[in-house]
Amino acid sequence: LVVKSLRVRDDGGAELREADVHLRVAAAAPDHPHVVRLHGVFPGNPAACSDQQLLRLVLEYVPGGSLGNVLRRCGRLPEDAIAGVARHVLRGLRHLHRLGIVHGDVKPSNLLVGRHGEVKIADFGASRYVPSSGGAHRAAGAEGTCAYMSPERLDPEGFGAASPSAAADLSSDVWSLGVVLLECHMGRFPLVAVGERPEWAALVVTVCFGSAPEVPVTASSEFRGFVRQCLEKDWRRRATVDELLGHSVVAGVPPCCAT
């Protein structure tokens, strides 16, 4: 087991949202194979913090570490392994999205690899609940990692997401997954030049004003098409999780992200 401690401010904030998301997910499917399992939530020692309370989340231990660790050890992954990553993450996202939960921070360090190569979504620190009515609740502090943000998150007005939209928020997770898959194929972060840091200004220029990210020609045509559907700049035309799960790249592939 792993214990994660959250320091809760007086206004609750992101820490209570994170615990709430874990509880919603656990209530719906406590043993989902592609979402890290919550075993319990309990208060910490209030004497340890003078002006804050502690919450402790008891979480599943995933022995293979993160996908980020795998990439640092192995560099590029073969397409069959990337397809396994895509399938597992999409299944986890399908579960979250059906509950009205946007993960908000899909990236290699938040994807954990199990003993048998299964991939599990972790870390709900940037997650939020979006009502089925379509009015997404964007709470302060639920930001995520800018390197993996979609165009409509970096520039909501420019990409038709200035008004609250559950569909746009859910679609942003698909873009983030596309960046992750391209990173797995290239063996490095794909949206900036080699040696450059993915800083905010450079990312806005590349993601919002540049052309859609290109998949190297060394990839198969099926893989290129799959990633392009994830990295469609217009969220209204971007493929949904369910559509991607029906794609030939992920349909029927075995788990294959062994460490």
Side-chain angles (χ1 to χ4, degrees), residues 16-30 35 38 41 95-96 99-101 124 128-131:
L16 285 183
R17 284 196 305 277
E18 181 175 357
D20 176 66
V21 168
H22 269 293
L23 289 169
R24 288 176 186 265
V25 173
V35 179
L38 175 73
V41 180
H95 177 58
L96 297 178
L99 296 174
I101 294 168
F124 296 116
R128 60 195 181 279
Y129 173 70
V130 293

Side-chain angles (χ1 to χ4, degrees), residues 179-205:
V179 177
V180 170
L181 300 180
L182 193 51
E183 184 170 349
C184 290
H185 178 78
M186 296 176 65
R188 65 173 183 84
F189 182 73
L191 301 187
V192 297
V194 177
E196 287 187 9
R197 293 177 59 84
E199 296 177 344
W200 178 269
L203 287 166
V204 170
V205 171

Side-chain angles (χ1 to χ4, degrees), residues 6-231:
L6 304 176
R7 294 184 181 274
V8 182
R9 302 186 302 267
D10 289 339
D11 61 353
E15 296 78 18
L16 285 183
R17 284 196 305 277
E18 181 175 357
D20 176 66
V21 168
H22 269 293
L23 289 169
R24 288 176 186 265
V25 173
D31 293 314
H32 194 282
H34 302 302
V35 179
V36 167
R37 181 180 182 183
L38 175 73
H39 291 280
V41 180
F42 61 94
N45 179 9
C49 299
S50 58
D51 58 344
Q52 296 174 325
Q53 295 183 340
L54 281 178
L55 274 183
R56 300 196 191 277
L57 308 182
V58 183
L59 301 166
E60 170 188 10
Y61 172 69
V62 185
S66 73
L67 178 62
N69 293 335
V70 174
L71 291 175
R72 282 189 286 275
R73 288 197 302 269
C74 304
R76 294 178 54 191
L77 298 183
E79 279 191 23
D80 58 350
I82 302 173
V85 171
R87 185 183 189 187
H88 292 175
V89 176
L90 286 167
R91 286 179 169 180
L93 288 176
R94 178 173 62 185
H95 177 58
L96 297 178
H97 289 183
R98 286 177 176 176
L99 296 174
I101 294 168
V102 178
H103 183 272
D105 201 15
V106 175
K107 59 182 180 179
S109 61
N110 286 342
L111 302 175
L112 304 185
V113 182
R115 192 180 310 277
H116 304 292
E118 69 277 16
V119 179
K120 296 171 179 276
I121 299 175
D123 197 336
F124 296 116
S127 301
R128 60 195 181 279
Y129 173 70
V130 293
S132 58
S133 61
H137 176 59
R138 289 189 180 93
E143 294 297 335
T145 304
C146 64
Y148 297 86
M149 285 184 182
S150 60
E152 67 275 8
R153 289 194 66 193
L154 292 171
D155 182 10
E157 290 190 6
F159 286 88
S163 300
S165 167
D169 280 355
L170 295 171
S171 184
S172 67
D173 281 342
V174 172
W175 171 279
S176 302
L177 173 61
V179 177
V180 170
L181 300 180
L182 193 51
E183 184 170 349
C184 290
H185 178 78
M186 296 176 65
R188 65 173 183 84
F189 182 73
L191 301 187
V192 297
V194 177
E196 287 187 9
R197 293 177 59 84
E199 296 177 344
W200 178 269
L203 287 166
V204 170
V205 171
T206 299
V207 173
C208 298
F209 300 107
S211 57
E214 286 294 325
V215 185
V217 294
T218 52
S220 68
S221 59
E222 292 83 4
F223 181 78
R224 291 200 304 271
F226 182 84
V227 174
R228 284 177 184 142
Q229 289 184 51
C230 297
L231 297 179

